[in-house]
Amino acid sequence: MTILVTGGAGFIGANFVMEWLSGADEKVINLDKLTYAGNLESLKCLEGNPAHVFVQGDIGDSALVQDLLQKYQPRAVINFAAESHVDRSIHSPGDFIQTNVVGTFHLLEAVRAYWNELPEDARTDFRFLHVSTDEVYGSLAATDPAFTETNRYEPNSPYSASKAASDHLVRSYHHTYGLPVLTTNCSNNYGPYHFPEKLIPLMIVNALAGKALPVYGDGQQIRDWLYVKDHCSAIRRVLEAGRVGEVYNVGGWNEKPNLEIVNRVCALLDELRPREDGQSYQEQISFVTDRPGHDRRYAIDARKLERELQWKPAETFETGIRKTVQWYLENQQWVENVQSGSYRDWVEKNYDGRSA
Ligand code: NAD
Ligand code: TYD
């Protein structure tokens, strides 16, 4: 048996592939374009493992995807590949349309052609699992209930709009062609191998480098945080037992304002790697100009997943954030290696000119 994973050199995909292969020997074909966010170093522990086949390529390359499907005959495709950073989508929305919308369309077409030709049993058992985000539902007011699977789609950034479009395409391939799809919409992830452009790893990395900790606006925007390995276990569970055509929200009931997150990261660093001058890392916090169109609050109601598939997260925010900070302290080389020229260019583009 084999599965095809796309975007498996990115943050969540790499965690998923490593978890998958640590629990079973079912082969993983890992198709990843290796954009700035893809990093083979994250998969170093799989070097020489015959159950992991890495292929550099684009989900939008139909010929390549069709070849891979024919050659390896996977029983499932799990689609992580995407452009995933909201701030980048504000600077360069075109890349998001290309991969998240057009790329997902080409992937679906290749998968549909392959699935159509499968023998009856394999057709029934096949799954296309699309990994999506809670951001498609838009922004909540302070007292609104958390997002359920039936919330209206109201995406506000080019990132969330492109993910919303991909979710709709996936849905349509089930309704129109009968492709056995599953969709997961997850809240903000954090954990090992997270590229340091996103809030939590950026704060850890900047704090240790003695740099400013840039908090957008008033820092009171709320996100609902889930440890990445819990997201991976949810995806496994949905793949295993999710009802075809259904959507499952994934979250850990951990709503927190950004400033509280940054303060918690600072407190953990104060404990685990105190500053030489005895001051707290909080001294480095700097309030900067807000992100345009910044969503105020996300919150996931994950009761459907819990009720139907008995899934629950294993980590609390406290245990997960401690593990994460520790991982970054122990993996400084990984951090240094991802801070290439293109990373520095991005930091300059996004943060220079945001007045403190
Ligand atoms: P990431 O940016 O860290 O990784 C994306 C990966 O996809 C990279 O390895 C990149 O090289 C690859 N990729 C990009 N374009 C590609 C293309 N055209 N063809 C093949 N590979 C391509 O993203 P992530 O944080 O790991 O997110 C993975 C998925 O989970 C995304 O679909 C994202 O929308 C979704 N998601 C992320 C979060 C989060 O908090 N990070 C939360 C919910 C959902
Ligand atoms: P991010 O990690 O980019 O995820 P998303 O935008 O997909 O939720 O950002 C999380 C929150 O942190 C979001 O409200 C924006 C905020 N943020 C900052 O305040 N400063 C930063 O430098 C970054 C990258 C994000």
Side-chain angles (χ1 to χ4, degrees):
M1 300 281 258
T2 300
I3 59 167
L4 172 67
V5 167
T6 72
F11 164 47
I12 306 171
N15 275 286
F16 180 84
V17 170
M18 283 184 280
E19 288 272 306
W20 184 271
L21 291 173
S22 71
D25 55 5
E26 185 175 0
K27 199 173 204 156
V28 177
I29 313 304
N30 185 351
L31 172 65
D32 195 296
K33 189 177 171 181
L34 295 181
T35 66
Y36 79 92
N39 185 357
L40 282 181
E41 217 185 307
S42 305
L43 297 163
K44 226 175 176 167
C45 66
L46 297 177
E47 264 171 20
N49 184 336
H52 180 237
V53 177
F54 182 80
V55 180
Q56 182 171 5
D58 194 319
I59 55 167
D61 182 344
S62 310
L64 170 67
V65 177
Q66 275 168 22
D67 280 354
L68 292 176
L69 293 168
Q70 285 310 326
K71 183 168 175 194
Y72 293 105
Q73 300 280 309
R75 67 169 176 101
V77 173
I78 301 149
N79 184 30
F80 291 95
E83 289 292 337
S84 70
H85 189 33
V86 174
D87 290 317
R88 286 189 193 250
S89 85
I90 294 168
H91 287 279
S92 311
D95 298 340
F96 288 70
I97 302 307
Q98 205 49 47
T99 283
N100 301 358
V101 186
V102 180
T104 304
F105 162 68
H106 286 301
L107 177 66
L108 280 165
E109 276 293 89
V111 169
R112 178 166 76 93
Y114 162 71
W115 173 73
N116 267 331
E117 298 304 318
L118 287 176
E120 184 76 30
D121 285 358
R123 258 169 76 87
T124 309
D125 292 345
F126 183 81
R127 297 288 181 269
F128 180 91
L129 192 152
H130 181 61
V131 180
S132 193
T133 164
D134 60 357
E135 304 193 22
V136 296
Y137 299 122
S139 184
L140 293 168
T143 56
D144 285 343
F147 301 127
T148 68
E149 290 79 1
T150 54
N151 265 67
R152 205 167 77 177
Y153 270 39
E154 291 182 346
N156 290 321
S157 71
Y159 164 63
S160 55
S162 66
K163 288 297 290 187
S166 69
D167 293 9
H168 291 325
L169 282 170
V170 170
R171 177 188 160 87
S172 77
Y173 272 62
H174 175 62
H175 278 261
T176 305
Y177 306 112
L179 189 71
V181 307
L182 297 156
T183 299
T184 54
N185 290 89
C186 188
S187 59
N188 284 62
N189 284 214
Y190 66 99
Y193 303 104
H194 205 181
F195 193 75
E197 63 181 356
K198 306 277 171 71
L199 180 73
I200 290 179
L202 182 88
M203 294 299 154
I204 300 171
V205 166
N206 277 14
L208 292 171
K211 294 184 180 158
L213 308 181
V215 173
Y216 294 165
D218 62 3
Q220 293 308 312
Q221 304 83 4
I222 291 172
R223 297 293 182 265
D224 190 349
W225 294 93
L226 184 69
Y227 192 60
V228 64
K229 289 177 203 279
D230 282 326
H231 187 188
C232 295
S233 77
I235 291 170
R236 290 178 70 119
R237 186 70 193 126
V238 172
L239 184 64
E240 187 176 68
R243 282 186 293 135
V244 165
E246 289 291 314
V247 172
Y248 294 91
N249 280 357
V250 187
W253 303 99
N254 275 311
E255 281 186 65
K256 298 204 182 298
N258 293 338
L259 190 56
E260 190 180 321
I261 298 287
V262 177
N263 282 330
R264 190 68 200 116
V265 166
C266 289
L268 279 166
L269 287 172
D270 288 341
E271 177 195 325
L272 298 169
R273 183 70 56 86
R275 263 173 49 160
E276 278 173 13
D277 63 3
Q279 301 275 314
S280 169
Y281 287 96
Q282 283 179 348
E283 297 295 317
Q284 290 163 234
I285 291 176
S286 161
F287 289 90
V288 300
T289 310
D290 208 350
R291 170 189 281 175
H294 198 170
D295 283 339
R296 197 68 186 165
R297 175 179 164 234
Y298 304 140
I300 275 281
D301 181 334
R303 278 178 297 183
K304 178 176 173 185
L305 185 55
E306 194 181 322
R307 193 177 58 244
E308 287 191 12
L309 305 182
Q310 294 76 50
W311 173 87
K312 265 186 193 240
E315 303 290 342
T316 63
F317 184 73
E318 261 321 299
T319 59
I321 192 71
R322 183 173 284 275
K323 284 184 182 174
T324 304
V325 170
Q326 266 161 349
W327 187 88
Y328 279 88
L329 287 171
E330 286 159 14
N331 289 276
Q332 301 272 319
Q333 194 58 51
W334 181 91
V335 173
E336 263 172 49
N337 294 350
V338 297
Q339 290 175 310
S340 63
S342 70
Y343 177 78
R344 287 194 295 275
D345 291 347
W346 163 251
V347 170
E348 209 173 285
K349 192 173 182 181
N350 194 43
Y351 295 97
D352 281 10
R354 274 186 199 266
S355 53

